[in-house]
Amino acid sequence: PISEAVDWISLGSIGGSGNATVTVNFSQNSAAQQRTATIILVSSSGAITRTVSVTQRASGEVLPASWNFKRTENNHTLILPENLVSSIAGQALAPGDYVGVFFTLAGSDVCAGNGPWTGSNTSFPVFGDDGTTMEKDGMANAENFKVKVWRGANQQTYDVTATYAAIGAAGGVVNAGGAYQTDGFSMITQLNAT
């Protein structure tokens, strides 16, 4: 179920045995502010619970084309806690800023996933390479994250240095650091850029 009654998200078909596929439908956000909701998925036995935070960009909010990414079947979750410490050109992150993870391909940075900074606990997926295609379209296992911040206020991208929570943090949820791992969970505790 969706944790709050929101009229812009609906769950479509849910199916599967063992692993399940969930279809989530969103209506367009025409408001000037981004909006968030939480989807809580519970197995039929009640033994497994997964929480997914969803943030939808505000109308007219446009990231640079270099921040587009390809969704694949493989991902790693990057957690941004509400107490994340940041200094981007001397200022803390603000709502409207985005954090992205990139990898290098043929000398260019390619986005593997991004998410907005909301000022509260949030997360976003970083997508791994799809092994069924000939092209590299996501991160390889053990490939280091290259983290960037896009500032909404001045619409500039900053290369940042990220510090990660120790494995076992967040009640044992964190199982990875600053490198991609399929089904991994990392948490950034600090971001700095000059």
Side-chain angles (χ1 to χ4, degrees):
I2 299 172
S3 66
E4 297 176 7
V6 294
D7 60 0
W8 55 278
I9 297 178
S10 64
L11 297 180
S13 60
I14 300 175
S17 177
N19 291 330
T21 300
V22 178
T23 303
V24 181
N25 301 302
F26 306 89
S27 63
Q28 183 174 351
N29 185 3
S30 58
Q33 297 83 28
Q34 68 184 14
R35 55 190 180 183
T36 60
T38 302
I39 300 171
I40 301 172
L41 304 169
V42 181
S43 66
S44 58
S45 68
I48 300 173
T49 301
R50 295 290 183 257
T51 302
V52 179
S53 296
V54 178
T55 302
Q56 190 177 40
R57 293 182 184 146
S59 176
E61 197 173 275
V62 179
L63 290 169
S66 61
W67 282 65
N68 292 338
F69 55 89
K70 182 176 180 184
R71 295 178 187 278
T72 67
E73 294 293 320
N74 306 312
N75 70 70
H76 178 124
T77 301
L78 190 60
I79 302 166
L80 305 175
E82 65 184 349
N83 62 347
L84 185 145
V85 176
S86 61
S87 177
I88 312 303
Q91 295 187 359
L93 288 174
D97 294 344
Y98 279 76
V99 177
V101 173
F102 293 74
F103 61 95
T104 302
L105 180 64
S108 297
D109 290 340
V110 178
C111 189
N114 66 64
W117 172 248
T118 63
S120 60
N121 293 328
T122 190
S123 63
F124 63 90
V126 175
F127 291 96
D129 187 33
D130 180 352
T132 65
T133 65
M134 296 297 291
E135 64 187 24
K136 186 175 190 293
D137 44 20
M139 300 199 74
N141 273 316
E143 186 172 9
N144 289 330
F145 295 144
K146 184 172 189 177
V147 182
K148 298 183 182 222
V149 167
W150 183 79
R151 298 300 309 246
N154 63 9
Q155 304 206 355
Q156 289 189 4
T157 297
Y158 296 85
D159 292 329
V160 297
T161 302
T163 303
Y164 298 88
I167 292 175
V173 170
V174 174
N175 63 3
Y180 180 84
Q181 172 184 315
T182 299
D183 297 328
F185 285 83
S186 296
M187 182 166 62
I188 293 179
T189 57
Q190 189 169 349
L191 290 172
N192 290 298
T194 53

